[in-house]
């Protein structure tokens, strides 16, 4: 396995960052996960745009997106695989042991892991912890993901693959690594970005391609929605067949099945929509 680290390709065994990297010590970093199909990244331009937005939001130096593109191409070429998870990580770099960022410059890592296509449907749970729609990091894809680690481990322990959060005012928000959609009276809705969710790239494409509406939704809508589905880079559009103890028999229902079909068709038409 070859990894890109700060300007060049390295073997996995020798790709090392400092134990004082601010990404490690305080979670001062940003990331992107990009799907790679047969060595070709999907929606890379949108991912790089979001990487730059996250960097700006966190006050990190502007990433050199040409270099990040070159790094992605080099890693994909060096590690051929059918379906890959390309991970771009950009951190505050070598820093003092505190929240002040050092001035040694950022760390850039691009790594790749092999993955398999997700099942067409899955189970989710809800968790009692909230997303903060007014936080300093809201909307940024930072490496401060420990809340997601905790929530996802609770989901896994309950036989689910995702945990869904409300925001601080009790509205439906998102999952640990996905956006959520519900079907009400046959219409598809998803929470607006103002709910505090990440502006998911799959979410934006699904809204554009299905005509889903962005609607403030109470968290308990999950108890009555006709259909529920998730979107994310590695899930694409994925139906939900159980929310907590509530079964949604027949998932994917008709609106979800159509969204899955449209997404697959449009994504196959254009690798960088
Ligand atoms: C918190 C969170 N919400 C939503 C998503 C979905 O975003 P995307 O479709 O860009 O993968 C992610 C992606 O990993 C995420 O981490």
């Amino acid at each position: 396995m070859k990894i890109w680290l700060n300007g060049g390709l390295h073997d996995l065994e020798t790709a090392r960052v400092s134990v004082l990297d601010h990404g490690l010590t305080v979670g001062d970093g940003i990331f992107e996960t990009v799907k790679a199909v047969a060595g070709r990244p999907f929606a890379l331009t949108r991912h790089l745009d979001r990487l730059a937005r996250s960097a700006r939001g966190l006050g990190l130096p502007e990433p050199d997106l040409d270099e990040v593109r070159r790094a992605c191409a080099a890693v994909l070429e060096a590690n051929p695989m059918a379906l890959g998870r390309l991970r771009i990580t950009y951190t505050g770099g070598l820093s003092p042991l505190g929240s002040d960022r050092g001035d040694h410059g950022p760390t850039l890592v691009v790594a790749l892991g092999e993955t398999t296509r997700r099942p067409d449907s899955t189970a989710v749970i809800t968790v009692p912890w909230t997303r903060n729609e007014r936080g300093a990091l809201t909307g940024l894809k930072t490496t401060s993901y420990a809340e997601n680690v905790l929530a996802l481990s609770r989901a896994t322990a309950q036989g689910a693959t995702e945990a869904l959060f409300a925001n601080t005012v009790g509205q439906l928000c998102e999952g640990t690594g996905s956006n959520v959609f519900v079907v009400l009276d046959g219409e598809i809705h998803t929470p607006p970005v103002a709910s505090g969710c990440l502006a998911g790239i799959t979410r934006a494409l699904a809204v554009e391609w299905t005509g889903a509406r962005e609607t403030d939704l109470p968290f308990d809508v999950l108890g009555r929605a006709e259909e529920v589905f998730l979107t994310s880079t590695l899930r694409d559009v994925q139906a939900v067949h159980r929310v907590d103890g509530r079964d949604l028999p027949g998932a994917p229902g008709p609106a979800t099945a159509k969204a899955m079909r449209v997404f697959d068709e449009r994504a196959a038409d254009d690798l960088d929509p």
Side-chain angles (χ1 to χ4, degrees):
M1 174 62 61
K2 297 278 191 194
I3 307 268
W4 183 279
L5 172 61
N6 291 338
L9 280 179
H10 298 258
D11 288 322
L12 176 60
E13 295 71 28
T14 56
R16 293 284 177 266
V17 296
S18 169
V19 293
L20 300 183
D21 192 285
H22 228 209
L24 174 67
T25 54
V26 297
D28 174 26
I30 57 171
F31 76 103
E32 284 295 320
T33 297
V34 183
K35 181 174 65 166
V37 184
R40 298 166 74 194
F42 178 69
L44 185 59
T45 301
R46 286 180 186 251
H47 282 285
L48 295 184
D49 285 351
R50 189 171 63 189
L51 186 79
R53 274 204 313 279
S54 296
R56 251 171 261 137
L58 206 55
L60 286 166
E62 192 78 19
D64 176 347
L65 296 185
D66 290 335
E67 185 198 354
V68 180
R69 261 185 202 279
R70 275 199 310 282
C72 291
V75 169
L76 286 167
E77 197 189 333
N79 306 285
M81 60 184 67
L83 186 61
R85 164 198 278 253
L86 187 66
R87 159 83 188 215
I88 305 164
T89 309
Y90 186 70
T91 78
L94 183 63
S95 298
L97 282 173
S99 294
D100 283 334
R101 189 178 293 149
D103 52 15
H104 291 264
T107 300
L108 171 66
V109 179
V110 178
L112 184 67
E114 191 153 23
T115 187
T116 51
R117 186 166 161 81
R118 86 295 180 266
D120 280 348
S121 77
T122 196
V124 305
I125 64 163
T126 56
V127 285
W129 310 300
T130 53
R131 281 285 197 249
N132 180 0
E133 68 282 3
R134 293 180 296 119
L137 302 184
T138 306
L140 311 180
K141 197 163 167 68
T142 77
T143 57
S144 297
Y145 253 41
E147 285 203 334
N148 293 323
V149 173
L150 186 61
L152 188 58
S153 70
R154 180 180 280 207
T156 309
Q158 295 183 27
T161 71
E162 184 57 301
L164 298 178
F165 294 89
N167 63 14
T168 69
V169 291
Q171 293 164 333
L172 180 64
C173 187
E174 66 174 346
T176 67
S178 63
N179 292 105
V180 59
F181 289 66
V182 297
V183 178
L184 301 168
D185 294 327
E187 283 212 49
I188 307 176
H189 301 262
T190 194
V193 168
S195 71
C197 66
L198 187 74
I201 283 158
T202 324
R203 171 190 178 280
L205 293 172
V207 166
E208 198 177 311
W209 293 344
T210 67
R213 289 169 45 188
E214 300 181 72
T215 311
D216 284 324
L217 300 157
F219 199 40
D220 66 8
V221 75
L222 292 170
R224 55 190 155 78
E226 293 134 40
E227 301 174 37
V228 178
F229 65 83
L230 305 177
T231 62
S232 82
T233 288
L234 294 175
R235 294 178 192 268
D236 296 330
V237 175
Q238 184 183 39
V240 169
H241 61 243
R242 195 177 74 234
V243 181
D244 294 326
R246 177 182 178 231
D247 285 321
L248 290 149
T256 306
K258 188 170 172 199
M260 292 167 83
R261 204 167 50 244
V262 168
F263 190 90
D264 284 350
E265 286 168 7
R266 297 289 297 261
D269 272 0
D270 184 358
L271 270 180
D272 201 16

